[in-house]
C-alpha cells in the first residue's frame, strides 16, 4: 500500500531574502510590516500592502487573509486576531486554513516570515497546522497526463528573529515527524477495506519495523490466536475469509526484565458490517475506519520512533474483519476470551469490545505503567459528544486528568465520562456467562461499553483483591472521521490522538 505524498521541505532561517510567495501573519491592528520587509518587496507591492492595511479591507482579525499581488511579489497577509488572545489552537488552525487556500498561483516556494513579537510555541503551532493540512488521499485516482497539478512538495522557508532560529528549527522537525505519524494513521483509516485487511496491516507493520534496530514486532496470526485461546479475536474474525490477528509493536525493549512500559491498545476492525446482527446499508462504507484505534497505534509508533524516543513503549492492535457468513459467530453464542472470562454475545455488532477484551488482557503480561485503549466503539458516543470530543473513561483519576489536559493542549479534546458501578453491574448481569456484550437497554451505550472493557483490565497481581493497572479508554467513534470543524483535516480519517499520546508519552 502506498504511503502519503512527499512532505514539505522546511528550513528555518534568519529574516533574509524572500523566496517565492511571502506569507505575513499579522495580529489585529498591525499597521504595517517591519520596514525591512517593506523595503524588500517591490514598489507596487509595498504601496498595495500599505493601502490594504490602511483601509477597512484587512485589519488582522482572525479568519481574515488576503493575497496581494504586486509587480514582482506575491504576498499573503494572514489575520490572527488580537495578539494578547493568541493560543496554539488559533495559530495551528490559522496555519491549516491558510494552507488549504494555497493554489497554483502561489507556487511551491513560500517564505513564512514571523515578526519579533511571535512566541516560539505559536510559531511552531502555525507551522504544524500547515504541515498537518498538507495531506491528500489520492492514491486510488488514475493520474492523467494532461493533468497539470504539481504534486511536488512545497519548499517552506520559515523566517524569524535570529535568537529563535535553532529552537524553532528543532520544534518544526519534531512537528514534521509527528505529522508523519498522523498522516500514516490517516492513510490507514482511509484505506479501502479490500486492500487493508488484518494481515495486510500486520505485513505493513512488519515492513515498517524491518531494519529498525530498536523496534520488535510480533504478529499473533490465526494459528496463534487458536493456540492462545484468544476467543474474542477468534470469534469476531472467524466469519471472514481474511483471518484476524494481534499485532504487537515494541520499541526500546529493555535487554533485561520486562520494563514498565506505557501500553496503547487499538481496536482494528478493518471492516464492520455488524456481522449476523447486520448494519443497515446507509453509510456502511464508512465502517472501513473502524480500525482507527489501530491506525492511531501505528501512527504513534511512527511518530515516537521518528523523533528518536528512547523509552520503552508497547502498542497492541487487535485486528479482525466483522462479516456475516456460515462461519460467523452469532447472537446467543457464549465465547471464552483470552482472560478465561466468558461473554454472552447478544449482538455481533458489539464486536469491538470482544476483540479489545483479548488485547487488554494481553497487556497484563508486560508489567504496564498504564494502559490506554482507543476504539471507534459506539454510535452512542457520537450521540453524546458529536464530532467535537472523544469520550474518556478511566479507573484512575490521575491518568484521566493527564489525558484530558494533554488533549486540550493539542486540541484533540477528550471528555471525561462516567465509569459507574451501575453500568458494570448491568454488563456482568448475564445469567449464563461472566459478561454480556450488550446493555439491558440502549441508554448510556458508550458507558456500558466502557464498563464492559473494565472487566478485562488486568490486575497488578494474581491476588483476587489486587488492584487493576491504571487504564483509560478513549471512544473515538465521533472524532476519528472528518469533523467539519477540524481545520487540520479536510475530510476522511483524522489521525486523532496521535499528537495527544505522543506528547503524553514523551512527558512520562
Ligand atoms: N463500529 C461501531 C461503532 C461506530 C458507530 C463507530 C458509528 C463509528 C461510527 C461498533 O462496532 C458498533 O457497531 N457498535 C454498536 C454497539 C451496539 C450494538 C451495542 C453501536 O454503536 O450501535
Ligand atoms: Mg459493530
Ligand atoms: Zn465496530
Amino acid at each position: 500500500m502506498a504511503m502519503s505524498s512527499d512532505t514539505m521541505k522546511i528550513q528555518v532561517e534568519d529574516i533574509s531574502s524572500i523566496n517565492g510567495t511571502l506569507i505575513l501573519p499579522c495580529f489585529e491592528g498591525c499597521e504595517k510590516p517591519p520596514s525591512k520587509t517593506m523595503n524588500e518587496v517591490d514598489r507596487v507591492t509595498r504601496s498595495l500592502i500599505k493601502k490594504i492595511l490602511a483601509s477597512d479591507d484587512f485589519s488582522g482579525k482572525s479568519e481574515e487573509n488576503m493575497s496581494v499581488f504586486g509587480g514582482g511579489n506575491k504576498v499573503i497577509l494572514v489575520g490572527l486576531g488580537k495578539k494578547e488572545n493568541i493560543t496554539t489552537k488559533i495559530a495551528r488552525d490559522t496555519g491549516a486554513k491558510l494552507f488549504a487556500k494555497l493554489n497554483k498561483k502561489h507556487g511551491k516556494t513560500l517564505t513564512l516570515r514571523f515578526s519579533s513579537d511571535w512566541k516560539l510555541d505559536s510559531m511552531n503551532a502555525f507551522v504544524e497546522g500547515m504541515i498537518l493540512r498538507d495531506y491528500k488521499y489520492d492514491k486510488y485516482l488514475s493520474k492523467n497526463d494532461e493533468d497539470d497539478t504539481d504534486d511536488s512538495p512545497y519548499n517552506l522557508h520559515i523566517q524569524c528573529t535570529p535568537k529563535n532560529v535553532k529552537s524553532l528549527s528543532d520544534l518544526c522537525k519534531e512537528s514534521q515527524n509527528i505529522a508523519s505519524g498522523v498522516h500514516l494513521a490517516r492513510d490507514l483509516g482511509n484505506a479501502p477495506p479490500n486492500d487493508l485487511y488484518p494481515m495486510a496491516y500486520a505485513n505493513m507493520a512488519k515492513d515498517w519495523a524491518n531494519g529498525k534496530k530498536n523496534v520488535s514486532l510480533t504478529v499473533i496470526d490465526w494459528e496463534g490466536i487458536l493456540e492462545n485461546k484468544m476467543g474474542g479475536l477468534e470469534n469476531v474474525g472467524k466469519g471472514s475469509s481474511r483471518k484476524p490477528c494481534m499485532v504487537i509493536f515494541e520499541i526500546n525493549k529493555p535487554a533485561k526484565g520486562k520494563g514498565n512500559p506505557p501500553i496503547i491498545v487499538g481496536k482494528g476492525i478493518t471492516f464492520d458490517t455488524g456481522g449476523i446482527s447486520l448494519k443497515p446499508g446507509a453509510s456502511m462504507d464508512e465502517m472501513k475506519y473502524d480500525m482507527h484505534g489501530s491506525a492511531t497505534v501505528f501512527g504513534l509508533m511512527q511518530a515516537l520512533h521518528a523523533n528518536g524516543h528512547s523509552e520503552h513503549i508497547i502498542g497492541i492492535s487487535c485486528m479482525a474483519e466483522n462479516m456475516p457468513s456460515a462461519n460467523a459467530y452469532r447472537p446467543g453464542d457464549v465465547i471464552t476470551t483470552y482472560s478465561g472470562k466468558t461473554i454472552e454475545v447478544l449482538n455481533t455488532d458489539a464486536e469491538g469490545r470482544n476483540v479489545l477484551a483479548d488485547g487488554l488482557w494481553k497487556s497484563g503480561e508486560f508489567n504496564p505503567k498504564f494502559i490506554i485503549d482507543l476504539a471507534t466503539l459506539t454510535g452512542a458516543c457520537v450521540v453524546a459528544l458529536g464530532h467535537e470530543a472523544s469520550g474518556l473513561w478511566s479507573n484512575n483519576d490521575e491518568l484521566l486528568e493527564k489525558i484530558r489536559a494533554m488533549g486540550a493542549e493539542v486540541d484533540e479534546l477528550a471528555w471525561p465520562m462516567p465509569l459507574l458501578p451501575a453500568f458494570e453491574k448491568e454488563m456482568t448481569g448475564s445469567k449464563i456467562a461472566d459478561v454480556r456484550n450488550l446493555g439491558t437497554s440502549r441508554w448510556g451505550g458508550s458507558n456500558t461499553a466502557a464498563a464492559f472493557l473494565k472487566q478485562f483490565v488486568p490486575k497488578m497481581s494474581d491476588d483476587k483483591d489486587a488492584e487493576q493497572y491504571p487504564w483509560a479508554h478513549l471512544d473515538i467513534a465521533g472524532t476519528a472521521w472528518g469533523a467539519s470543524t477540524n481545520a487540520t483535516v479536510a475530510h476522511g480519517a483524522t489521525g486523532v490522538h496521535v499528537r495527544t499520546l505522543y506528547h503524553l508519552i514523551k512527558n512520562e
Side-chain angles (χ1 to χ4, degrees):
M1 214 181 68
M3 308 287 259
S4 52
S5 54
D6 257 355
T7 44
M8 212 181 272
K9 309 237 178 313
I10 292 185
Q11 63 192 89
V12 183
E13 59 204 26
D14 277 5
I15 301 206
S16 51
S17 56
I18 299 168
N19 279 289
T21 296
L22 176 66
I23 302 169
L24 290 175
C26 308
F27 292 117
E28 195 172 328
C30 61
E31 291 197 332
K32 69 173 168 51
S35 49
K36 169 152 184 7
T37 301
M38 292 301 267
N39 289 336
E40 263 180 278
V41 297
D42 64 48
R43 203 168 43 81
V44 184
T45 313
R46 193 181 319 142
S47 80
L48 272 170
I49 294 178
K50 276 192 196 149
K51 273 192 202 133
I52 289 166
L53 289 175
S55 76
D56 293 336
D57 289 348
F58 181 90
S59 56
K61 286 206 173 68
S62 90
E63 304 280 320
E64 270 183 346
N65 63 68
M66 171 166 283
S67 289
V68 182
F69 287 75
N73 296 103
K74 301 185 184 92
V75 180
I76 306 177
L77 304 176
V78 188
L80 282 121
K82 292 202 167 63
K83 188 171 137 192
E84 60 273 23
N85 293 343
I86 186 83
T87 59
T88 49
K89 174 172 168 53
I90 292 174
R92 187 183 303 106
D93 285 358
T94 308
K97 287 179 193 163
L98 162 76
F99 186 86
K101 286 192 185 152
L102 293 177
N103 59 39
K104 235 167 51 186
K105 64 178 192 280
H106 299 111
K108 287 284 170 146
T109 303
L110 310 169
T111 298
L112 169 63
R113 186 171 287 184
F114 291 107
S115 53
S116 58
D117 46 0
W118 275 76
K119 295 214 169 67
L120 261 180
D121 60 341
S122 309
M123 290 191 278
N124 180 47
F126 190 98
V127 176
E128 185 183 80
M130 293 181 71
I131 303 172
L132 286 170
R133 189 64 193 243
D134 184 16
Y135 174 86
K136 270 204 297 254
Y137 190 75
D138 60 358
K139 57 194 61 149
Y140 286 87
L141 285 168
S142 322
K143 292 272 182 306
N144 160 351
D145 286 344
E146 284 104 76
D147 197 352
D148 64 347
T149 52
D150 176 2
D151 272 338
S152 64
Y154 275 94
N155 249 310
L156 178 63
H157 296 258
I158 302 166
Q159 300 186 345
C160 62
T161 48
K163 73 168 180 2
N164 282 324
V165 169
K166 172 77 172 79
S167 320
L168 184 57
S169 173
D170 291 347
L171 283 174
C172 289
K173 272 187 206 127
E174 185 181 21
S175 294
Q176 220 172 0
N177 285 332
I178 298 170
S180 75
V182 176
H183 291 164
L184 169 59
R186 296 190 62 190
D187 276 354
L188 291 163
N190 286 325
N194 54 332
D195 280 352
L196 186 64
Y197 45 91
M199 282 306 289
Y201 176 102
N203 290 331
M204 278 184 70
K206 276 191 203 156
D207 286 348
W208 175 81
N210 200 7
K212 295 189 171 69
K213 38 177 206 328
N214 59 341
V215 178
S216 68
L217 193 95
T218 310
V219 177
I220 302 179
D221 62 6
W222 177 240
E223 279 71 37
I225 284 174
L226 296 178
E227 258 166 49
N228 284 287
K229 299 194 168 57
M230 295 180 156
L233 274 163
E234 176 198 342
N235 281 282
V236 171
K238 72 183 183 181
S240 172
S241 59
R242 264 75 190 267
K243 289 297 180 254
C245 58
M246 183 183 280
V247 178
I248 305 172
F249 300 81
E250 189 160 8
I251 306 187
N252 303 319
K253 183 183 177 149
K256 278 200 291 262
K258 286 191 168 172
N260 184 217
I263 302 191
I264 313 298
V265 181
K267 168 178 172 181
I269 301 297
T270 58
F271 195 66
D272 183 13
T273 63
I276 297 296
S277 314
L278 193 65
K279 286 183 182 294
S283 308
M284 201 203 267
D285 58 294
E286 286 184 5
M287 281 301 120
K288 67 176 185 177
Y289 86 90
D290 209 19
M291 40 63 67
H292 204 306
S294 70
T296 296
V297 167
F298 198 162
L300 173 67
M301 297 297 139
Q302 153 72 25
L304 287 166
H305 182 270
N307 277 324
H309 185 67
S310 58
E311 303 292 317
H312 189 200
I313 159 94
I314 291 180
I316 300 180
S317 292
C318 306
M319 312 304 300
E321 184 178 48
N322 189 21
M323 295 288 266
S325 85
N327 300 319
Y329 81 137
R330 346 159 172 66
D333 284 358
V334 173
I335 65 178
T336 306
T337 60
Y338 187 43
S339 66
K341 282 196 184 184
T342 55
I343 299 174
E344 181 184 12
V345 176
L346 292 164
N347 189 317
T348 62
D349 197 11
E351 83 297 338
R353 59 195 79 182
N354 301 335
V355 300
L356 286 170
D358 288 348
L360 289 169
W361 195 255
K362 182 74 187 168
S363 58
E365 295 168 12
F366 299 97
N367 185 36
K369 186 166 194 181
F370 56 74
I371 306 163
I372 301 175
D373 77 72
L374 298 133
T376 46
L377 203 62
T378 65
C381 191
V382 194
V383 173
L385 298 170
H387 297 289
E388 300 309 317
S390 304
L392 170 61
W393 291 259
S394 182
N395 61 2
N396 182 295
D397 290 345
E398 207 183 310
L399 180 62
L400 180 135
E401 178 50 24
K402 264 195 219 169
I403 299 171
R404 191 207 60 74
M406 190 55 81
E409 197 170 321
V410 306
D411 195 30
E412 294 180 323
L413 301 184
W415 216 265
M417 299 281 281
L419 198 61
L420 302 179
F423 295 129
E424 288 191 62
K425 207 167 153 207
E426 186 174 338
M427 300 310 277
T428 52
S430 165
K431 293 206 170 53
I432 61 161
D434 300 327
V435 189
R436 43 186 288 149
N437 86 331
L438 193 67
T440 52
S441 78
R442 66 192 188 87
W443 307 118
S446 63
N447 299 312
T448 48
F452 171 102
L453 293 180
K454 183 167 182 279
Q455 309 313 309
F456 297 91
V457 175
K459 292 185 171 170
M460 292 184 180
S461 79
D462 289 338
D463 195 88
K464 91 174 186 343
D465 301 317
E467 252 188 88
Q468 288 183 322
Y469 288 104
W471 156 77
H473 157 58
L474 284 159
D475 192 331
I476 57 172
T479 49
W481 192 256
S484 56
T485 52
N486 188 338
T488 62
V489 176
H491 44 74
T494 60
V496 71
H497 296 315
V498 169
R499 293 188 297 113
T500 311
L501 295 176
Y502 172 86
H503 291 290
L504 187 131
I505 287 166
K506 185 186 158 189
N507 290 354
E508 268 308 303

